Amino acid sequence: MSNPSSRAMLYSQAVLRPMIDLREFVPLAPYTTLQIGGPARFFIEAASEDEVVEATSFARDRGMPLFVLGGGSNVLISDAGFDGVVMRVGVPISRRELHEGESVLLEAGAGESWDDVVLYAVDRGYAGIECLAGIPGDVGGTPVQNVGAYGQEVAETIVKVRTYDLKSQNFVDLDHTACRFGYRRSLFNTEQRGRYIVTAVTYRLRPGGEAALRYADLSRYFAATLEAGEKPTLRQVYNAVRSIREQKGMLVGQGGADGRSAGSFFKNPVVPSAVVSQVALGAGCRPDEVPQYPAGDGMVKLPAAWLVERAGFYKGFAMGRAAISSRHTLALVNLGGAKAAELIALRDAVVEGVERKFGVHLEQEPVQPGE
């Protein structure tokens, strides 16, 4: 089979076929929400834990790099693709429940749609993840990034992550403490990046619990309801979050250019509180007019979108076929046919613009395999 990529790949020799479904030179763009990316030299869809083991063995035995792909919602693939083995984890462990005191432990397979799991919980009256509705991606990605939105993070509910440890070549269950969760951080994307493959996650939820209304957008959405002395249901909050996300172009399955994104492309920077004066000077405002949120130990979290906008980048700003979303300043989108190089050029322009104006460095959220 000839290689359709623009450059010769290292692993071009014929290989013996394993028992798993192995494909060669598979374009990765269709497997990502950005719809960007060249081919994988080898592509494997692992539908069981046994297949996860076999796929990793295939890569290890041949000395090839391995990249684990989930729902493709938080990844930027290069135009050259990935010169190794891409394994798409689709382990569909049925949702299992264990009632424990006033809680319910809900286990979901890594390959399940995250939004489907949120809806499953909400419809059964289980509180704890209702504000995380409408987020693209699969269950397996939630502990890696410590997915959060609208006042909730999955770290608040995760009690166990089942993983395959590439170092010991065994399945290992990691508890909440071992996962080392932080803001958009975990063991899996920091000091042990690439070591563990998530196959299932267990969440502790609250049957009959109240919906979380910590976020300003949600409080405004339900202002009339709250003023009337009523509390919105979990399903009402689920629907509200999906509606808000749709307005911002960040709803799972959303069509059009705004739907071709990786969600929030930049993390909200956490900086020393003393930096606020510097930011205010760059923005031409008073320090108390800079939106900020306490982050502990003398640190504050600044809204990346606020910094991006005040650095001169507006909704719809475009460079070639890559652009800032017309609905949300934090989302970089593929207008149609964009290359990774175009998106990277736009990213670099935004990062440099914010750093030049405010002295604050924005960190990219999507992962880039091979980087």
Side-chain angles (χ1 to χ4, degrees):
M1 181 182 294
S2 62
N3 182 352
S5 83
S6 59
R7 67 178 178 87
M9 285 191 169
L10 176 62
Y11 306 107
S12 57
Q13 71 273 23
V15 295
L16 295 175
R17 296 280 177 175
M19 295 300 291
I20 47 179
D21 179 20
L22 174 72
R23 289 181 281 161
E24 300 183 64
F25 303 115
V26 175
L28 294 173
Y31 291 93
T32 73
T33 54
L34 270 169
Q35 297 288 290
I36 287 175
R41 177 61 183 87
F42 296 105
F43 185 88
I44 299 169
E45 294 211 45
S48 69
E49 289 190 341
D50 286 343
E51 291 184 359
V52 168
V53 174
E54 191 169 355
T56 58
S57 296
F58 175 84
R60 183 176 58 254
D61 293 347
R62 292 159 181 79
M64 300 179 186
L66 172 72
F67 176 67
V68 179
L69 179 68
S73 62
N74 194 50
V75 62
L76 173 58
I77 307 289
S78 76
D79 297 317
F82 188 74
D83 198 3
V85 179
V86 172
M87 176 175 64
R88 188 168 189 273
V89 179
V91 180
I93 299 174
S94 300
R95 296 161 203 152
R96 294 194 288 235
E97 299 181 22
L98 173 65
H99 288 264
E100 187 178 88
E102 297 182 355
S103 302
V104 62
L105 301 182
L106 175 64
E107 182 188 48
E112 293 197 55
S113 161
W114 171 245
D115 191 56
D116 286 351
V117 171
V118 176
L119 181 59
Y120 176 91
V122 163
D123 280 350
R124 282 156 183 76
Y126 302 158
I129 54 176
E130 62 279 354
C131 296
L132 303 179
I135 296 177
D138 294 342
V139 165
T142 60
V144 177
Q145 293 294 124
N146 184 15
V147 167
Y150 300 100
Q152 285 183 331
E153 289 182 337
V154 288
E156 300 170 29
T157 63
I158 290 177
V159 294
K160 183 177 70 175
V161 179
R162 181 164 174 79
T163 70
Y164 182 67
D165 182 353
L166 291 170
K167 185 176 181 179
S168 69
Q169 298 178 36
N170 289 306
F171 283 95
V172 179
D173 290 337
L174 300 175
D175 64 16
H176 180 276
T177 301
C179 291
R180 298 176 63 83
F181 290 119
Y183 172 65
R184 300 297 179 270
R185 296 169 63 86
S186 70
L187 174 81
F188 311 109
N189 67 0
T190 54
E191 62 261 39
Q192 295 298 334
R193 180 190 295 270
R195 175 175 172 176
Y196 297 100
I197 298 172
V198 177
T199 60
V201 185
T202 301
Y203 306 90
R204 185 184 299 277
L205 305 176
R206 306 185 310 277
E210 293 183 3
L213 295 178
R214 309 168 193 160
Y215 203 76
D217 281 359
L218 280 177
S219 296
R220 284 192 292 268
Y221 191 98
F222 289 108
T225 301
L226 295 171
E227 286 175 7
E230 300 175 5
K231 295 178 180 178
T233 65
L234 296 177
R235 184 56 186 263
Q236 286 174 326
V237 170
Y238 170 89
N239 291 337
V241 169
R242 285 180 56 89
S243 176
I244 295 169
R245 294 189 71 89
E246 184 174 24
Q247 292 167 20
K248 295 182 177 182
M250 291 191 172
L251 179 65
V252 59
Q254 191 162 347
D258 287 324
R260 291 191 292 268
S261 83
S264 295
F265 203 87
F266 302 107
K267 300 177 183 180
N268 291 323
V270 177
V271 301
S273 56
V275 172
V276 173
S277 295
Q278 169 186 308
V279 171
L281 184 63
C285 65
R286 299 191 312 271
D288 63 336
E289 293 178 316
V290 176
Q292 56 195 279
Y293 309 93
D297 297 325
M299 308 291 282
V300 294
K301 183 164 63 176
L302 304 177
W306 188 90
L307 296 171
V308 170
E309 290 168 1
R310 279 152 187 78
F313 298 94
Y314 50 87
K315 294 173 184 174
F317 178 91
M319 291 176 59
R321 292 170 292 184
I324 292 175
S325 169
S326 65
R327 303 189 187 193
H328 198 294
T329 320
L330 276 192
L332 304 188
V333 302
N334 172 4
L335 295 176
K339 298 293 186 181
E342 293 174 275
L343 202 80
I344 290 169
L346 175 58
R347 174 204 67 189
D348 290 347
V350 172
V351 170
E352 291 167 9
V354 169
E355 193 153 13
R356 184 170 56 250
K357 190 171 183 66
F358 302 112
V360 174
H361 180 75
L362 293 183
E363 185 179 347
Q364 175 177 318
E365 194 162 320
V367 298
Q368 284 184 252
E371 291 296 314

